[in-house]
Short mmCIF file of all heavy atoms in Angstrom, two decimals:
data_model
loop_
_atom_site.label_atom_id
_atom_site.label_comp_id
_atom_site.label_asym_id
_atom_site.label_seq_id
_atom_site.Cartn_x
_atom_site.Cartn_y
_atom_site.Cartn_z
N LEU A 1 -138.92 234.96 194.50
CA LEU A 1 -139.14 234.21 193.27
C LEU A 1 -138.60 232.80 193.41
O LEU A 1 -139.22 231.83 192.94
CB LEU A 1 -138.49 234.93 192.09
CG LEU A 1 -138.57 234.22 190.73
CD1 LEU A 1 -140.02 233.92 190.34
CD2 LEU A 1 -137.89 235.06 189.65
N GLU A 2 -137.45 232.64 194.06
CA GLU A 2 -136.92 231.29 194.31
C GLU A 2 -137.84 230.51 195.25
O GLU A 2 -138.01 229.30 195.10
CB GLU A 2 -135.51 231.37 194.88
CG GLU A 2 -134.46 231.88 193.91
CD GLU A 2 -134.30 231.01 192.67
OE1 GLU A 2 -134.63 229.80 192.72
OE2 GLU A 2 -133.86 231.53 191.63
N VAL A 3 -138.45 231.20 196.22
CA VAL A 3 -139.42 230.54 197.10
C VAL A 3 -140.60 230.04 196.27
O VAL A 3 -141.07 228.91 196.45
CB VAL A 3 -139.90 231.48 198.22
CG1 VAL A 3 -141.00 230.81 199.04
CG2 VAL A 3 -138.74 231.89 199.12
N ALA A 4 -141.08 230.86 195.35
CA ALA A 4 -142.20 230.44 194.48
C ALA A 4 -141.84 229.15 193.74
O ALA A 4 -142.65 228.21 193.67
CB ALA A 4 -142.55 231.56 193.49
N ARG A 5 -140.65 229.10 193.19
CA ARG A 5 -140.22 227.90 192.45
C ARG A 5 -140.15 226.68 193.36
O ARG A 5 -140.42 225.55 192.93
CB ARG A 5 -138.88 228.17 191.79
CG ARG A 5 -138.96 229.18 190.64
CD ARG A 5 -137.60 229.66 190.19
NE ARG A 5 -137.71 230.55 189.03
CZ ARG A 5 -136.81 231.46 188.70
NH1 ARG A 5 -135.72 231.63 189.45
NH2 ARG A 5 -136.99 232.22 187.63
N ALA A 6 -139.79 226.90 194.63
CA ALA A 6 -139.70 225.79 195.58
C ALA A 6 -141.07 225.28 196.02
O ALA A 6 -141.17 224.19 196.60
CB ALA A 6 -138.89 226.22 196.81
N LEU A 7 -142.13 226.05 195.75
CA LEU A 7 -143.48 225.66 196.18
C LEU A 7 -144.31 225.04 195.06
O LEU A 7 -145.47 224.70 195.27
CB LEU A 7 -144.22 226.89 196.71
CG LEU A 7 -143.59 227.61 197.91
CD1 LEU A 7 -144.46 228.79 198.32
CD2 LEU A 7 -143.38 226.65 199.08
N GLU A 8 -143.72 224.87 193.90
CA GLU A 8 -144.49 224.49 192.72
C GLU A 8 -145.24 223.17 192.89
O GLU A 8 -146.33 222.99 192.34
CB GLU A 8 -143.56 224.40 191.51
CG GLU A 8 -144.29 224.21 190.20
CD GLU A 8 -143.35 224.17 189.01
OE1 GLU A 8 -142.12 224.23 189.22
OE2 GLU A 8 -143.84 224.08 187.87
N GLN A 9 -144.70 222.23 193.65
CA GLN A 9 -145.34 220.92 193.81
C GLN A 9 -146.14 220.79 195.11
O GLN A 9 -146.61 219.70 195.43
CB GLN A 9 -144.26 219.82 193.77
CG GLN A 9 -143.48 219.77 192.47
CD GLN A 9 -144.36 219.53 191.25
OE1 GLN A 9 -145.32 218.74 191.30
NE2 GLN A 9 -144.08 220.23 190.16
N ARG A 10 -146.33 221.89 195.83
CA ARG A 10 -146.97 221.83 197.14
C ARG A 10 -148.48 222.04 197.04
O ARG A 10 -149.00 222.63 196.10
CB ARG A 10 -146.36 222.89 198.05
CG ARG A 10 -144.88 222.69 198.34
CD ARG A 10 -144.65 221.45 199.19
NE ARG A 10 -145.36 221.56 200.45
CZ ARG A 10 -144.87 222.23 201.51
NH1 ARG A 10 -143.70 222.82 201.46
NH2 ARG A 10 -145.57 222.28 202.64
N ARG A 11 -149.20 221.57 198.09
CA ARG A 11 -150.64 221.80 198.22
C ARG A 11 -150.85 222.99 199.15
O ARG A 11 -150.97 222.85 200.37
CB ARG A 11 -151.32 220.54 198.77
CG ARG A 11 -151.25 219.34 197.83
CD ARG A 11 -151.99 218.15 198.39
NE ARG A 11 -151.93 217.00 197.49
CZ ARG A 11 -152.74 216.77 196.47
NH1 ARG A 11 -153.72 217.64 196.23
NH2 ARG A 11 -152.60 215.72 195.71
N LEU A 12 -150.88 224.14 198.57
CA LEU A 12 -150.99 225.40 199.31
C LEU A 12 -151.92 226.35 198.56
O LEU A 12 -152.19 226.15 197.37
CB LEU A 12 -149.61 226.07 199.44
CG LEU A 12 -148.51 225.31 200.17
CD1 LEU A 12 -147.15 225.95 199.86
CD2 LEU A 12 -148.76 225.32 201.68
N THR A 13 -152.37 227.38 199.25
CA THR A 13 -153.00 228.51 198.59
C THR A 13 -152.01 229.67 198.66
O THR A 13 -151.59 230.05 199.75
CB THR A 13 -154.31 228.90 199.29
OG1 THR A 13 -155.24 227.81 199.20
CG2 THR A 13 -154.92 230.14 198.66
N VAL A 14 -151.63 230.19 197.51
CA VAL A 14 -150.56 231.20 197.47
C VAL A 14 -151.02 232.43 196.68
O VAL A 14 -151.55 232.29 195.57
CB VAL A 14 -149.27 230.63 196.84
CG1 VAL A 14 -148.17 231.70 196.82
CG2 VAL A 14 -148.79 229.40 197.60
N MET A 15 -150.80 233.59 197.26
CA MET A 15 -150.99 234.84 196.53
C MET A 15 -149.61 235.49 196.33
O MET A 15 -149.05 236.07 197.27
CB MET A 15 -151.91 235.81 197.28
CG MET A 15 -152.04 237.16 196.55
SD MET A 15 -153.03 238.38 197.46
CE MET A 15 -154.69 237.85 196.99
N PRO A 16 -149.03 235.40 195.15
CA PRO A 16 -147.77 236.08 194.88
C PRO A 16 -148.02 237.56 194.59
O PRO A 16 -149.01 237.92 193.96
CB PRO A 16 -147.22 235.35 193.64
CG PRO A 16 -148.42 234.79 192.98
CD PRO A 16 -149.49 234.60 194.01
N LEU A 17 -147.11 238.40 195.05
CA LEU A 17 -147.25 239.85 194.89
C LEU A 17 -146.41 240.39 193.74
O LEU A 17 -146.06 241.57 193.72
CB LEU A 17 -146.91 240.55 196.20
CG LEU A 17 -147.81 240.18 197.37
CD1 LEU A 17 -147.35 240.87 198.65
CD2 LEU A 17 -149.27 240.51 197.07
N SER A 18 -146.09 239.52 192.79
CA SER A 18 -145.41 239.96 191.57
C SER A 18 -145.83 239.06 190.42
O SER A 18 -146.22 237.90 190.62
CB SER A 18 -143.89 239.91 191.74
OG SER A 18 -143.40 238.59 191.58
N LEU A 19 -145.74 239.60 189.20
CA LEU A 19 -146.05 238.79 188.03
C LEU A 19 -144.99 237.72 187.79
O LEU A 19 -145.28 236.67 187.24
CB LEU A 19 -146.19 239.69 186.80
CG LEU A 19 -147.34 240.70 186.84
CD1 LEU A 19 -147.45 241.44 185.52
CD2 LEU A 19 -148.66 240.03 187.20
N HIS A 20 -143.75 237.97 188.22
CA HIS A 20 -142.72 236.93 188.14
C HIS A 20 -143.14 235.72 188.97
O HIS A 20 -143.05 234.56 188.52
CB HIS A 20 -141.38 237.46 188.65
CG HIS A 20 -140.70 238.43 187.75
ND1 HIS A 20 -140.35 238.15 186.45
CD2 HIS A 20 -140.29 239.72 187.98
CE1 HIS A 20 -139.75 239.19 185.90
NE2 HIS A 20 -139.71 240.15 186.80
N GLY A 21 -143.58 235.97 190.22
CA GLY A 21 -144.01 234.88 191.08
C GLY A 21 -145.24 234.18 190.56
O GLY A 21 -145.35 232.96 190.61
N ALA A 22 -146.20 234.95 190.05
CA ALA A 22 -147.42 234.36 189.49
C ALA A 22 -147.10 233.46 188.31
O ALA A 22 -147.66 232.36 188.17
CB ALA A 22 -148.39 235.47 189.08
N ASN A 23 -146.19 233.91 187.46
CA ASN A 23 -145.81 233.11 186.30
C ASN A 23 -145.13 231.82 186.72
O ASN A 23 -145.36 230.76 186.13
CB ASN A 23 -144.88 233.92 185.39
CG ASN A 23 -144.54 233.19 184.12
OD1 ASN A 23 -145.40 232.83 183.33
ND2 ASN A 23 -143.25 232.95 183.90
N ALA A 24 -144.29 231.88 187.77
CA ALA A 24 -143.60 230.68 188.25
C ALA A 24 -144.57 229.64 188.79
O ALA A 24 -144.30 228.43 188.72
CB ALA A 24 -142.59 231.06 189.33
N LEU A 25 -145.72 230.08 189.31
CA LEU A 25 -146.67 229.16 189.93
C LEU A 25 -147.89 228.86 189.05
O LEU A 25 -148.75 228.08 189.45
CB LEU A 25 -147.16 229.75 191.26
CG LEU A 25 -146.09 229.84 192.35
CD1 LEU A 25 -146.61 230.65 193.54
CD2 LEU A 25 -145.66 228.45 192.80
N ALA A 26 -147.92 229.45 187.87
CA ALA A 26 -149.12 229.33 187.03
C ALA A 26 -149.44 227.89 186.66
O ALA A 26 -150.61 227.53 186.51
CB ALA A 26 -148.97 230.18 185.77
N GLY A 27 -148.44 227.05 186.50
CA GLY A 27 -148.69 225.67 186.11
C GLY A 27 -148.63 224.67 187.25
O GLY A 27 -148.64 223.45 187.02
N ALA A 28 -148.57 225.16 188.50
CA ALA A 28 -148.46 224.26 189.64
C ALA A 28 -149.69 223.37 189.74
O ALA A 28 -150.82 223.87 189.81
CB ALA A 28 -148.29 225.07 190.92
#
């Protein structure tokens, strides 16, 4: 989940395997 937060401003394609991670990246 901390990794997800660290990727919020990056240009990547990400598939998170938890709803916590998906929520952290939803507004990226």
Side-chain angles (χ1 to χ4, degrees):
L1 177 56
E2 292 299 336
V3 175
R5 291 168 176 155
L7 300 181
E8 188 178 4
Q9 300 301 320
R10 297 292 301 277
R11 295 183 180 275
L12 299 164
T13 297
V14 180
M15 177 184 278
L17 298 177
S18 79
L19 297 185
H20 288 301
N23 184 59
L25 293 170

